[in-house]
Amino acid sequence: MPEHDDLIGELRELGRALAVPQPVDQRNAVRARLARPAPHRPRVRLWLAAAVAALTATVTLVAPARAAVVEVVGDLLRVAGIEVRREHPRGSLPANPSPLPSTRTADLAEAERAAGFRVLVPELLGPPEEVLLADPDPGGRPRVVTLVFRGGTVRFDQFAGNLSPLFRKTAPDAQWVELAGVPDGAIWMASPHPLTYADRTGTEYTATARLAGPTLIWDTSELITYRLEGFATLEEAVRVAQSVR
Amino acid sequence: MRGAAIENDEATAVARARAGDLDAYEVLVVRFTAPAHRAATLLGAGADADDVVQEAFVKAYRQLGRYRGESGFRPWLLAIVANETRNLLRSRNRRAGLLMRAAVREDPMPLEPDPAESAEATERRRFLVEQLRALDVRDREVLVCRYLLDLSEAETAMTLGLPKGTVKSRTARALTRLRDRLPVKEVPGA
């Protein structure tokens, strides 16, 4: 736009001459607001209410066979291997995530051989950047297989869920949601929450408690439990979860 | 090399923030408060710019999962800032009513007189601000982003949620419209 060069010059000059007051320091205010759970929009809440109602019916129907797998007991949500307490976390949240015990890297084929179950991959995310095997038994069989995507911002954990809870989570905003192909539904936690890992002896590792981002968890009839972490919205998490093959 | 290092820092901070690390997010809050505040002010938020900035940081954190990082964190954040500012202006207009619009609160574009400048130049600048404010909001937004905030075409496109081609054509149109409103400048010697 050469015919406007002088006007453009004047506008740039004007930009420099406009006085903008000092901005307020936003650090504390933003942090305080992020520490509170995100408010749910009414539309979403209605949809969730419908999902919970549908699931309650499902649970009633399948309860005898699946009682050990999915329970809704007061404010305790449970998918095989994961227990979610719907309450506010006590104490402050850990700032720096720490890894699961005895973690080593592997490739997908090796992970599958070692784990003793089929290791699945969310197709939408492409091949994993890293495959991690954690907390092996004396024979070397890992309890948890983790696939890492997008520079570590997305984690996909999978493990045999017919065990006592491995992970304990405290998330006041945990909700049951419907997931196609998963009869018992999934649990969605929209805001970051503390995650505690319990090892083979049942000892809870408060030292390995880490702050998990928004997470979707579900299990299958083969009692393999999946945990997908790192997507800000439920829609996106569900889309990726449905691409798991 | 320094630019690359800063970019890398930014990507690391975003990745860690996305995993729920509020300390990492604070790094981004500190770095981008000033540009976000300046953009909010010049796009018309005026004295409410701080509120817009805070709202934008809270929303940005919750939407980090959608961040793709193609053109950096700044234009991505500014898009949220621009959107919040539009919401603010809409509700302010509803509150104030159309008749009051001209007298709305503080001047969103405060002009600081430069003592070294001639009275004539200051007057011209003041007039330029008035004409800029009189433009259609869509024309004003592209000019504010491109020249007053000095954003690139790509950054402007992201900030305003427009295709790049639209930014180009709208900028040309806005410049023509603005020029039509200005008195012809006397060229020395002509």
Side-chain angles (χ1 to χ4, degrees):
Chain A
M1 283 160 264
E3 76 275 24
H4 291 306
D5 275 353
D6 56 335
L7 183 52
I8 290 171
E10 259 189 278
L11 285 169
R12 287 193 202 279
E13 270 303 304
L14 177 65
R16 284 188 277 274
L18 288 172
V20 171
Q22 268 308 102
V24 166
D25 183 341
Q26 300 285 3
R27 282 178 295 179
N28 291 338
V30 169
R31 186 179 277 262
R33 287 185 58 189
L34 291 181
R36 292 197 296 267
H40 288 284
R41 289 183 206 98
R43 189 178 57 80
V44 176
R45 208 181 294 134
L46 275 178
W47 181 76
L48 283 171
V52 170
L55 276 161
T56 310
T58 315
V59 169
T60 314
L61 282 173
V62 301
R66 305 263 295 157
V69 184
V70 178
E71 293 172 49
V72 186
V73 186
D75 262 1
L76 188 67
L77 282 59
R78 189 177 287 159
V79 160
I82 298 184
E83 197 178 75
V84 180
R85 285 185 186 280
R86 197 146 44 176
E87 60 189 33
H88 281 281
R90 279 180 291 272
S92 58
L93 302 180
N96 294 310
S98 55
L100 295 174
S102 316
T103 300
R104 69 182 179 95
T105 56
D107 60 27
L108 267 180
E110 193 193 339
E112 192 144 23
R113 269 199 309 279
F117 56 81
R118 239 185 94 219
V119 174
L120 302 185
V121 181
E123 273 186 354
L124 268 184
L125 299 179
E129 287 159 19
E130 218 179 348
V131 180
L132 302 171
L133 309 180
D135 201 7
D137 67 14
R141 172 187 282 221
R143 275 179 106 200
V144 183
V145 176
T146 303
L147 311 183
V148 180
F149 301 89
R150 297 193 184 167
T153 60
V154 173
R155 297 171 64 95
F156 184 55
D157 292 339
Q158 42 200 306
F159 52 87
N162 52 352
L163 304 158
S164 55
L166 275 64
F167 292 100
R168 288 201 172 78
K169 294 154 163 278
T170 310
D173 60 345
Q175 298 281 1
W176 284 107
V177 295
E178 276 177 314
L179 193 58
V182 178
D184 299 301
I187 298 174
W188 168 246
M189 282 153 285
S191 52
H193 50 277
L195 173 71
T196 306
Y197 181 76
D199 76 356
R200 291 176 176 280
T201 64
T203 312
E204 282 191 10
Y205 276 83
T206 39
T208 64
R210 57 187 204 89
L211 193 62
T215 302
L216 185 69
I217 53 182
W218 71 97
D219 65 351
T220 64
S221 46
E222 290 84 34
L223 290 184
I224 306 297
T225 299
Y226 302 97
R227 172 172 184 287
L228 179 63
E229 180 193 331
F231 292 97
T233 67
L234 174 60
E235 291 78 357
E236 211 174 345
V238 165
R239 232 185 12 259
V240 172
Q242 283 172 342
S243 79
V244 167
R245 304 276 184 277
Chain B
M1 267 334 280
R2 206 163 146 251
I6 286 174
E7 249 172 60
N8 194 26
D9 273 352
E10 183 185 304
T12 310
V14 171
R16 288 180 52 202
R18 186 142 50 173
D21 184 342
L22 289 178
D23 289 338
Y25 193 60
E26 195 164 289
V27 172
L28 298 170
V29 171
V30 168
R31 189 179 300 165
F32 293 106
T33 292
H37 179 264
R38 185 171 174 80
T41 306
L42 296 190
L43 287 170
D48 292 321
D50 286 310
D51 294 353
V52 165
V53 169
Q54 188 183 115
E55 200 59 40
F57 274 122
V58 170
K59 288 200 173 150
Y61 180 81
R62 299 208 164 119
Q63 293 170 16
L64 272 178
R66 285 183 226 158
Y67 174 72
R68 294 288 167 264
E70 305 107 335
S71 20
F73 188 74
R74 188 173 73 146
W76 186 77
L77 176 70
L78 290 188
I80 299 172
V81 168
N83 204 33
E84 282 302 307
T85 304
R86 284 175 186 151
N87 291 344
L88 171 82
L89 295 181
R90 260 200 296 277
S91 69
R92 200 190 266 169
N93 283 343
R94 265 202 300 276
R95 275 205 309 272
L98 292 178
L99 285 175
M100 299 265 302
R101 198 184 292 181
V104 170
R105 304 179 57 174
E106 285 85 354
D107 188 343
M109 289 192 184
L111 192 59
E112 197 166 69
D114 181 349
E117 225 172 37
S118 69
E120 203 187 333
T122 307
E123 199 39 53
R124 165 96 183 169
R125 214 164 255 177
R126 195 175 301 285
F127 189 71
L128 187 60
V129 169
E130 273 169 32
Q131 298 313 309
L132 206 49
R133 289 176 64 191
L135 283 180
D136 180 271
V137 62
R138 287 170 301 179
D139 291 339
R140 187 172 61 238
E141 279 177 350
V142 286
L143 295 184
V144 165
C145 285
R146 281 292 278 120
Y147 305 122
L148 273 63
L149 297 172
D150 225 350
L151 301 182
S152 71
E153 231 162 49
E155 288 172 323
T156 301
M158 183 154 224
T159 300
L160 298 179
L162 299 169
K164 249 170 102 176
T166 308
V167 168
K168 210 187 229 344
S169 57
R170 200 174 276 179
T171 305
R173 188 186 67 186
L175 284 169
T176 307
R177 285 188 181 158
L178 180 61
R179 181 180 296 280
D180 289 346
R181 292 175 158 273
L182 298 174
V184 180
K185 227 183 181 178
E186 277 177 44
V187 182

